[in-house]
Amino acid sequence: MNASAFAKIPYGMFIITSAFDGKIGGQTANTVFQITSNPATIAVSISKQNNTHLLLDKSRKAVISCLTEEAPFEFIAKFGFRSSKNFDKFSGINFTKNADGIPVIETYANAYFETEIISTMDADTHTLFLCKTVNAVLLNDKPTMTYDYYHKVKKGLTPKNAPTYIEKQRI
Ligand SMILES: Cc1cc2nc3c(=O)[nH]c(=O)nc-3n(C[C@H](O)[C@H](O)[C@H](O)COP(=O)(O)O)c2cc1C
């Protein structure tokens, strides 16, 4: 099996946020894609080790922000290489809260989706959350950052908890 073959699968770049019991959190994710249009559902794969997993599991709600090419590496890294378990990712970040108290990231985003989790699939190290969209907001028409752009232009790495991580490989 050639592990580099997996690097040929394209993705976008997203921030997934959630909140439960007054606690907010969020993380970078690339494994987001639309599943159906009616109802409009979106799937996301989240590591069971992530604080965001805990919040999604408890609240059954998520906000998914779609990042633009303008998002700096530092912004992506803040949400993608640190955990809300022991670090306040939201300090110094502009955000509002929706009616459920979930942070809505509009900075460096071109769209966001307010969702309710309607189903989950156990995928060993990760859970696939199926999110039903209850509100979709188009912010601007700036180009969405692809995962390839993140690697090639932003020179970004893949952390261990990302579904696309391959040991001793940079993909
Ligand atoms: C470019 C990039 C893509 C990532 N994609 C995912 C992903 O799709 N799913 C996932 O569970 N983690 C992914 N991660 C890793 C999480 O963002 C990371 O484990 C984060 O620290 C979790 O934070 P939390 O513990 O506050 O939830 C990605 C990280 C980066 C930098």
Side-chain angles (χ1 to χ4, degrees):
M1 186 156 80
N2 186 343
S4 298
F6 293 99
K8 299 299 180 197
I9 301 175
Y11 307 90
M13 290 286 291
F14 308 86
I15 303 287
I16 315 297
T17 52
S18 192
F20 181 73
D21 207 14
K23 296 200 176 84
I24 61 170
Q27 66 158 85
T28 303
N30 60 285
T31 51
V32 171
F33 58 103
Q34 186 172 357
I35 301 286
T36 55
S37 62
N38 189 17
T41 58
I42 298 171
V44 52
S45 171
I46 300 290
S47 167
K48 290 176 185 173
Q49 293 187 12
N50 293 356
N51 188 59
T52 307
H53 189 285
L54 184 90
L55 296 175
L56 295 175
D57 204 33
K58 298 263 187 214
S59 70
R60 314 304 285 180
K61 291 195 170 149
V63 175
I64 302 166
S65 293
C66 193
L67 295 181
T68 70
E69 290 177 353
E70 288 177 357
F73 173 74
E74 294 69 29
F75 180 84
I76 294 164
K78 193 173 195 186
F79 282 91
F81 291 95
R82 305 290 304 262
S83 179
S84 290
K85 281 176 198 161
N86 50 25
F87 174 70
D88 180 9
K89 298 183 184 186
F90 291 91
S91 109
I93 301 276
N94 279 332
F95 67 97
T96 53
K97 282 186 182 173
N98 73 2
D100 297 310
I102 300 175
V104 178
I105 303 276
E106 295 183 48
T107 314
Y108 306 127
N110 56 15
Y112 70 86
F113 306 89
E114 294 180 82
T115 71
E116 288 171 4
I117 293 158
I118 53 169
S119 182
T120 58
M121 188 175 106
D122 187 350
D124 196 349
T125 56
H126 288 65
T127 299
L128 194 69
F129 289 94
L130 184 62
C131 308
K132 185 174 118 181
T133 304
V134 291
N135 188 24
V137 177
L138 178 67
L139 297 167
N140 57 64
D141 281 323
K142 292 174 184 171
T144 297
M145 188 188 296
T146 64
Y147 196 47
D148 199 45
Y149 188 95
Y150 166 75
H151 287 300
K152 292 195 175 135
V153 181
K154 303 283 174 180
K155 309 288 181 205
L157 299 172
T158 303
K160 213 163 186 173
N161 285 354
T164 45
Y165 175 79
I166 292 175
E167 201 141 349
K168 294 197 183 110
Q169 278 207 0
R170 191 186 149 172
I171 64 166

